[in-house]
Coordinates of all heavy atoms in Angstrom, one line a residue:
I109 N 99.5 75.0 114.1 CA 99.7 75.9 115.1 C 100.8 75.4 116.2 O 101.6 76.2 116.6 CB 98.4 76.3 115.9 CG1 97.6 77.1 115.0 CG2 98.7 77.1 117.1 CD1 96.2 77.4 115.4
W110 N 100.6 74.1 116.4 CA 101.6 73.5 117.4 C 103.0 73.5 116.8 O 104.0 73.9 117.6 CB 101.1 71.9 117.6 CG 102.1 71.2 118.5 CD1 102.2 71.3 119.8 CD2 103.2 70.3 118.1 NE1 103.2 70.6 120.3 CE2 103.8 69.9 119.3 CE3 103.6 69.8 116.9 CZ2 104.9 69.1 119.2 CZ3 104.6 69.1 116.8 CH2 105.3 68.6 118.0
K111 N 103.1 73.2 115.5 CA 104.5 73.3 114.9 C 105.0 74.7 114.9 O 106.2 75.0 115.0 CB 104.5 72.7 113.5 CG 104.1 71.2 113.5 CD 104.2 70.8 111.9 CE 104.0 69.3 111.9 NZ 103.9 68.7 110.5
A112 N 104.1 75.7 114.7 CA 104.6 77.0 114.8 C 105.0 77.4 116.1 O 106.1 78.2 116.3 CB 103.4 78.0 114.3
S113 N 104.2 77.0 117.2 CA 104.6 77.3 118.5 C 106.0 76.7 118.8 O 106.9 77.3 119.5 CB 103.6 76.8 119.5 OG 102.3 77.3 119.2
V114 N 106.2 75.3 118.5 CA 107.6 74.8 118.6 C 108.7 75.6 117.8 O 109.7 75.7 118.6 CB 107.5 73.3 118.2 CG1 108.9 72.8 118.2 CG2 106.5 72.6 119.0
L115 N 108.4 75.9 116.7 CA 109.5 76.8 115.9 C 109.7 78.0 116.6 O 110.9 78.4 116.8 CB 108.9 77.0 114.5 CG 109.8 77.8 113.6 CD1 111.0 77.2 113.4 CD2 109.0 78.0 112.3
L116 N 108.7 78.6 117.0 CA 108.9 80.0 117.8 C 109.7 79.8 119.1 O 110.4 80.6 119.5 CB 107.6 80.7 118.1 CG 106.8 81.2 116.9 CD1 105.5 81.6 117.2 CD2 107.6 82.3 116.3
Q117 N 109.3 78.6 119.8 CA 110.0 78.4 121.0 C 111.5 78.0 120.8 O 112.3 78.5 121.4 CB 109.4 77.1 121.7 CG 109.8 76.9 123.1 CD 109.0 75.8 123.8 OE1 108.4 75.0 123.1 NE2 109.1 75.9 125.1
D118 N 111.7 77.3 119.7 CA 113.2 77.0 119.3 C 113.9 78.3 118.9 O 115.0 78.5 119.4 CB 113.2 76.1 118.1 CG 112.7 74.5 118.6 OD1 112.8 74.4 119.7 OD2 112.4 73.8 117.6
I119 N 113.2 79.1 118.2 CA 113.9 80.4 117.8 C 114.1 81.2 119.0 O 115.2 81.9 119.0 CB 112.9 81.0 116.8 CG1 112.9 80.3 115.5 CG2 113.5 82.5 116.4 CD1 112.0 80.9 114.4
S120 N 113.2 81.3 120.0 CA 113.5 82.2 121.1 C 114.5 81.7 122.0 O 115.2 82.5 122.6 CB 112.0 82.2 121.9 OG 111.8 81.0 122.5
K121 N 114.7 80.4 122.0 CA 115.7 79.9 122.9 C 117.2 80.0 122.3 O 118.2 79.9 122.9 CB 115.4 78.3 123.3 CG 114.4 78.0 124.1 CD 114.1 76.5 124.3 CE 113.0 76.2 125.3 NZ 112.8 74.8 125.5
A122 N 117.3 80.1 120.9 CA 118.4 80.0 120.3 C 119.0 81.5 120.3 O 118.4 82.5 120.5 CB 118.3 79.8 118.8
D123 N 120.5 81.5 120.4 CA 121.2 82.7 120.5 C 121.1 83.5 119.1 O 120.9 82.9 118.1 CB 122.6 82.5 120.8 CG 122.8 82.1 122.4 OD1 122.0 82.3 123.2 OD2 123.8 81.4 122.5
E124 N 121.1 84.7 119.3 CA 121.1 85.5 118.1 C 122.4 85.3 117.3 O 123.4 85.2 117.7 CB 121.1 86.9 118.4 CG 121.0 88.0 117.2 CD 120.8 89.4 117.6 OE1 121.0 89.7 118.7 OE2 120.7 90.3 116.7
Y125 N 122.1 85.0 116.0 CA 123.3 85.0 115.1 C 124.1 86.3 115.1 O 123.6 87.3 114.9 CB 122.9 84.5 113.6 CG 122.3 83.1 113.6 CD1 120.9 83.0 113.4 CD2 123.1 82.0 113.6 CE1 120.3 81.7 113.3 CE2 122.6 80.8 113.7 CZ 121.3 80.5 113.4 OH 120.7 79.3 113.5
K126 N 125.4 86.1 115.1 CA 126.2 87.4 114.9 C 127.7 86.9 114.6 O 128.2 85.7 114.7 CB 126.3 88.1 116.4 CG 126.9 87.3 117.5 CD 126.8 88.2 118.8 CE 127.3 87.4 120.0 NZ 127.2 88.2 121.2
L127 N 128.4 87.8 114.0 CA 129.7 87.7 113.7 C 130.6 88.6 114.3 O 130.3 89.8 114.4 CB 129.8 87.9 112.1 CG 131.1 87.2 111.5 CD1 131.2 85.8 111.5 CD2 131.2 87.9 109.9
S128 N 131.7 88.3 114.9 CA 132.6 89.1 115.7 C 134.1 88.9 115.4 O 134.2 87.7 114.8 CB 132.4 89.0 117.2 OG 132.6 87.7 117.7
F129 N 134.9 89.7 115.7 CA 136.3 89.6 115.5 C 137.2 89.8 116.7 O 137.0 90.7 117.4 CB 136.8 90.4 114.5 CG 138.3 90.5 114.3 CD1 139.0 89.5 113.6 CD2 139.0 91.6 114.7 CE1 140.3 89.5 113.4 CE2 140.4 91.6 114.5 CZ 141.1 90.6 113.8
Q130 N 138.0 88.7 117.0 CA 138.8 88.9 118.2 C 140.3 88.9 117.7 O 140.9 87.9 117.2 CB 138.6 87.5 119.1 CG 137.3 87.5 119.7 CD 137.2 86.3 120.7 OE1 138.0 85.4 120.7 NE2 136.1 86.2 121.5
P131 N 140.9 90.0 117.9 CA 142.3 90.2 117.4 C 143.3 89.2 118.2 O 143.0 88.8 119.2 CB 142.6 91.6 117.9 CG 141.4 92.3 118.1 CD 140.4 91.1 118.6
N132 N 144.3 88.8 117.5 CA 145.3 87.9 118.0 C 146.1 88.6 119.1 O 146.8 89.5 118.7 CB 146.1 87.3 116.9 CG 147.1 86.2 117.4 OD1 147.5 86.2 118.6 ND2 147.3 85.2 116.5
K133 N 145.9 88.3 120.4 CA 146.6 89.1 121.4 C 148.1 89.0 121.3 O 148.8 89.8 121.8 CB 146.0 88.8 122.8 CG 144.6 89.2 123.0 CD 144.1 88.8 124.4 CE 142.6 89.2 124.7 NZ 142.2 89.0 126.0
V134 N 148.6 87.8 120.9 CA 150.0 87.5 120.8 C 150.7 88.5 120.0 O 151.7 88.9 120.3 CB 150.2 86.1 120.4 CG1 151.7 85.8 120.2 CG2 149.6 85.0 121.3
I135 N 150.1 88.8 118.9 CA 150.6 89.8 117.9 C 150.7 91.1 118.6 O 151.8 91.8 118.6 CB 149.8 89.9 116.6 CG1 149.8 88.7 115.9 CG2 150.4 91.0 115.8 CD1 149.0 88.5 114.7
T136 N 149.6 91.5 119.2 CA 149.6 92.9 119.9 C 150.6 92.9 121.0 O 151.4 93.9 121.1 CB 148.2 93.1 120.5 OG1 147.3 93.0 119.4 CG2 148.2 94.5 121.1
E137 N 150.6 91.8 121.9 CA 151.6 91.8 123.0 C 153.0 91.8 122.5 O 153.9 92.6 123.1 CB 151.4 90.5 123.9 CG 150.0 90.6 124.5 CD 149.7 89.3 125.2 OE1 150.5 88.3 125.0 OE2 148.7 89.2 126.0
I138 N 153.4 91.0 121.4 CA 154.7 91.0 120.9 C 155.1 92.4 120.4 O 156.2 92.9 120.7 CB 154.9 90.0 119.9 CG1 154.8 88.6 120.5 CG2 156.3 90.1 119.3 CD1 154.8 87.4 119.5
L139 N 154.2 92.9 119.6 CA 154.7 94.3 119.0 C 154.7 95.3 120.2 O 155.6 96.2 120.0 CB 153.7 94.6 117.9 CG 153.5 93.7 116.7 CD1 152.5 94.2 115.8 CD2 154.9 93.8 116.0
S140 N 153.8 95.3 121.0 CA 153.8 96.3 122.1 C 155.0 96.2 123.0 O 155.5 97.2 123.5 CB 152.5 96.2 123.0 OG 151.4 96.3 122.2
S141 N 155.6 94.9 123.1 CA 156.8 94.7 123.9 C 158.1 95.2 123.3 O 159.0 95.4 124.0 CB 156.9 93.3 124.4 OG 157.2 92.4 123.2
L142 N 158.0 95.4 122.0 CA 159.1 95.7 121.2 C 159.4 97.2 121.2 O 158.5 98.1 121.3 CB 159.1 95.4 119.8 CG 159.0 93.8 119.5 CD1 158.8 93.6 118.1 CD2 160.2 93.1 119.9
E143 N 160.7 97.7 121.5 CA 161.1 99.2 121.4 C 161.6 99.5 120.0 O 161.5 100.6 119.6 CB 162.2 99.3 122.5 CG 161.7 99.2 123.9 CD 162.7 99.5 124.8 OE1 163.9 99.8 124.6 OE2 162.5 99.4 126.1
M144 N 162.2 98.5 119.3 CA 162.7 98.8 118.0 C 162.4 97.6 117.1 O 162.2 96.4 117.6 CB 164.3 99.1 118.1 CG 164.5 100.4 118.9 SD 166.3 100.9 118.7 CE 167.1 99.5 119.4
L145 N 162.9 97.9 115.9 CA 162.6 96.7 114.9 C 163.8 95.7 114.9 O 163.7 94.6 114.5 CB 162.6 97.3 113.4 CG 161.3 98.1 113.1 CD1 161.5 98.6 111.7 CD2 160.1 97.3 113.1
G146 N 165.0 96.1 115.6 CA 166.1 95.2 115.8 C 167.1 95.9 116.6 O 166.9 97.1 117.1

Side-chain angles (χ1 to χ4, degrees):
I109 291 173
W110 177 81
K111 289 182 179 179
S113 298
V114 171
L115 178 59
L116 288 172
Q117 191 174 21
D118 289 343
I119 292 175
S120 65
K121 289 180 179 179
D123 291 332
E124 183 182 3
Y125 291 104
K126 62 182 177 180
L127 193 68
S128 62
F129 172 70
Q130 293 182 349
N132 189 328
K133 292 183 179 180
V134 174
I135 296 176
T136 305
E137 289 173 358
I138 291 176
L139 292 178
S140 299
S141 67
L142 299 177
E143 295 183 359
M144 295 190 298
L145 292 175

